[in-house]
Amino acid sequence: MAAMFVCMCHAVTEDQVKREIDGGAVTPRQIAKGCKAGTDCGSCVRRIQALLGEHGARPCPTARLAAKLGLAEPETETDVPKAA
């Protein structure tokens, strides 16, 4: 089975991120400290957050703040009415 890369900038695989989580990492910052994933372009941070969530870690502070403020999820293309 081929390795699934989470962070292309630092060639970090999903298994490496999971090992960081198993080692006690509970935030994207702790993941980054352990394997550098998420420290360059940042495009992998959402996947890192998802992996943390799958392993029972707390949601990121931004998500908690958005929920507390009652902010909706960002609209998707299908949610926005098309102009006639």
Side-chain angles (χ1 to χ4, degrees):
M1 183 177 196
M4 292 291 295
F5 285 94
V6 172
C7 175
M8 296 302 290
C9 297
H10 295 285
V12 178
T13 65
E14 196 168 283
D15 286 340
Q16 287 173 280
V17 172
K18 288 177 182 177
R19 281 196 297 272
E20 293 295 328
I21 295 168
D22 291 342
V26 294
T27 66
R29 183 170 284 165
Q30 290 172 342
I31 298 288
K33 188 174 182 181
C35 64
K36 294 189 178 184
T39 62
D40 202 346
C41 78
S43 66
C44 60
V45 173
R46 286 187 185 258
R47 180 64 188 139
I48 292 168
Q49 289 172 327
L51 288 168
L52 284 164
E54 289 170 14
H55 286 81
R58 62 188 173 147
C60 74
T62 305
R64 285 198 312 266
L65 179 60
K68 184 175 182 178
L69 296 174
L71 300 174
E73 290 290 318
E75 292 180 336
T76 62
E77 217 173 284
T78 57
D79 295 335
V80 180
K82 295 189 180 203

